[in-house]
Amino acid sequence: MGGGGQLTEPVETSACGGRAASVYTWDEVQKHCHRNDQWLVINRKVYNVTQWAKRHPGGLRVISHYAGEDATEAFLAFHPNPKLVQKFLKPLLIGELAVTEPSQDRNKNAAVVEDFQALRTRAEGLGLFQAQPLFFCLHLGHILLLELLAWMSVWLWGTGWRTTLLCSFILAVAQAQAGWLQHDFGHLSVFKLSRWNHIFHKFIIGHLKGASGNWWNHRHFQHHAKPNVFSKDPDVNMLHVFVVGDIQPVEYGIKKIKYMPYHHQHQYFFLVGPPLLIPVYFHIQILRAIRVTMVTVLSSPMSGCSLFPTMPRHNYQVLAPLVRALCEKHSIPYQEKTLWRGVADVVRSLKNSGDLWMDAYLHK
């Protein structure tokens, strides 16, 4: 367990199961951000999660990413039933923030955080966290229909090259659809009971995709907890095939890491990119009613986590104008892109990162 902090202000009432509670400053909380010493703050309450982190159902890393920080938004975002989780938090409570301390840590903008919390409350009031079962039933149904259609094609017409191409196309679309659907269940955004979400998630990702549900959860929740943070978001790690952003390519260049010719990564991307575009394109065409919104909050003080991962995606189109209004109010960049514009931006970004790698590799 992590060591105790300095007592800033005595508290007469007991808040830790009979033990005297303490109050802490942010400076004290932020010292406890190491592997064997982890504190975090939720709703101004300070918790020592050093030992609990190893037993955390969401994985050790995702909770450790908030060591020494305010985890309020992440706690609400990842737990559909916060009251149920409170029983696990109670034994970990060691105190609270001093009354003179702000609710948010580091350089977060208090006004933005307050408006973001108001946005969540409004979204809950509008019922945007309630799923439409028919939407997900139809989604699963058409995936199974595509799988059956591919099987029937082989049964009726054999394994000639025409049938092979047709089945490849059908199954590519089905796999793209299954990828999005397992994403919904993995985010606990369909059923009210987490258990049913987990059951369907394991079925879809395990039987239709052939992957591990636990592996996906532990990686993807980290992504939503710290989106695009190089050392914490596993989705930024391209397994040495690509270097992305401004930090990773320079680090690789300085260390003379050259698993691939990264200055050509925007070109060899097309060996991977185009085969993925076909199923993605048809995914968009089939689900035209869904408005996919890209919100850029990479450097903003808005929130440490990616918006509302447990919200059913058929409600994104309702939420999008509300998010846009919040971003405009606080001058936070907000981007909404077509598929083709997104691909062009990917290529441009890969080229910029590749150039950074080459410059560091040759000159630093």
Side-chain angles (χ1 to χ4, degrees):
M1 300 291 284
Q6 297 177 355
L7 185 62
T8 307
E9 180 180 340
V11 178
E12 296 180 357
T13 60
S14 174
C16 304
R19 294 172 295 174
S22 303
V23 294
Y24 302 95
T25 65
W26 273 116
D27 287 340
E28 177 61 26
V29 171
Q30 290 169 356
K31 295 177 183 178
H32 301 272
C33 60
H34 308 289
R35 183 178 181 86
N36 297 318
D37 182 13
Q38 301 181 23
W39 292 7
L40 53 78
V41 176
I42 300 175
N43 290 323
R44 298 189 63 84
K45 302 295 184 181
V46 181
Y47 298 90
N48 186 334
V49 298
T50 306
Q51 297 300 322
W52 167 247
K54 302 174 184 177
R55 297 180 287 124
H56 181 231
L60 166 67
R61 293 184 178 179
V62 68
I63 193 172
S64 298
H65 290 336
Y66 281 92
E69 301 179 10
D70 177 48
T72 304
E73 292 301 331
F75 177 77
L76 295 175
F78 294 124
H79 301 99
N81 189 352
K83 292 182 179 180
L84 177 65
V85 187
Q86 286 290 346
K87 68 178 183 179
F88 297 100
L89 283 176
K90 188 175 181 180
L92 310 177
L93 181 65
I94 59 173
E96 59 186 21
L97 291 175
V99 293
T100 55
E101 292 292 302
S103 296
Q104 64 284 341
D105 60 337
R106 302 187 189 277
N107 297 320
K108 290 181 181 178
N109 186 312
V112 176
V113 172
E114 183 178 350
D115 284 350
F116 180 75
Q117 293 171 345
L119 176 62
R120 167 179 284 277
T121 301
R122 184 177 180 185
E124 291 173 345
L126 293 173
L128 299 185
F129 288 91
Q130 303 299 317
Q132 296 177 7
L134 180 61
F135 173 88
F136 297 101
C137 287
L138 292 176
H139 198 163
L140 177 59
H142 94 271
I143 293 172
L144 298 177
L145 182 61
L146 288 171
E147 298 273 356
L148 178 62
L149 181 60
W151 182 84
M152 290 291 293
S153 298
V154 175
W155 183 58
L156 292 173
W157 300 316
T159 56
W161 68 269
R162 292 185 180 88
T163 306
T164 300
L165 288 177
L166 175 63
C167 289
S168 298
F169 175 79
I170 294 173
L171 292 176
V173 176
Q175 284 292 293
Q177 297 290 322
W180 287 110
L181 188 58
Q182 68 85 21
H183 185 274
D184 296 320
F185 287 104
H187 273 298
L188 312 180
S189 62
V190 182
F191 297 108
K192 292 183 179 179
L193 292 179
S194 297
R195 179 184 178 186
W196 284 105
N197 284 299
H198 289 307
I199 291 174
F200 274 82
H201 180 242
K202 290 182 178 179
F203 166 74
I204 295 171
I205 195 172
H207 294 278
L208 300 184
K209 296 290 292 180
S212 166
N214 290 334
W215 166 82
W216 184 89
N217 276 330
H218 287 172
R219 287 181 59 88
H220 198 68
F221 282 132
Q222 290 183 71
H223 159 68
H224 278 276
K226 294 290 183 177
N228 298 328
V229 177
F230 174 59
S231 61
K232 297 182 178 181
D233 182 356
D235 284 9
V236 179
N237 185 350
M238 298 288 104
L239 300 176
H240 304 305
V241 178
F242 299 101
V243 289
V244 296
D246 299 329
I247 298 175
Q248 184 186 24
V250 175
E251 288 187 354
Y252 272 45
I254 293 175
K255 295 178 181 179
K256 309 305 178 187
I257 297 176
K258 188 182 181 181
Y259 292 98
M260 299 288 287
Y262 297 119
H263 55 300
H264 293 304
Q265 64 180 2
H266 63 290
Q267 296 170 328
Y268 65 72
F269 163 78
F270 287 97
L271 297 175
V272 180
L276 297 177
L277 293 182
I278 294 177
V280 171
Y281 174 76
F282 277 88
H283 169 78
I284 293 175
Q285 294 302 314
I286 293 172
L287 303 175
R288 289 181 68 93
I290 298 178
R291 185 178 182 183
V292 180
T293 315
M294 296 181 64
V295 183
T296 304
V297 291
L298 308 186
S299 302
S300 81
M302 179 176 176
S303 174
C305 59
S306 181
L307 291 176
F308 309 119
T310 58
M311 179 178 291
R313 58 188 160 106
H314 53 67
N315 289 329
Y316 289 170
Q317 58 183 341
V318 181
L319 180 69
L322 305 180
V323 174
R324 184 190 300 111
L326 187 151
C327 291
E328 291 177 351
K329 177 180 178 180
H330 296 282
S331 300
I332 297 173
Y334 177 101
Q335 300 182 29
E336 186 174 348
K337 302 178 182 179
T338 64
L339 172 64
W340 309 114
R341 172 65 184 279
V343 172
D345 286 351
V346 167
V347 175
R348 186 180 302 108
S349 177
L350 287 175
K351 185 180 187 308
N352 291 338
S353 296
D355 291 342
L356 288 173
W357 171 82
M358 174 60 85
D359 179 67
Y361 187 86
L362 294 177
H363 306 297
K364 296 183 180 180

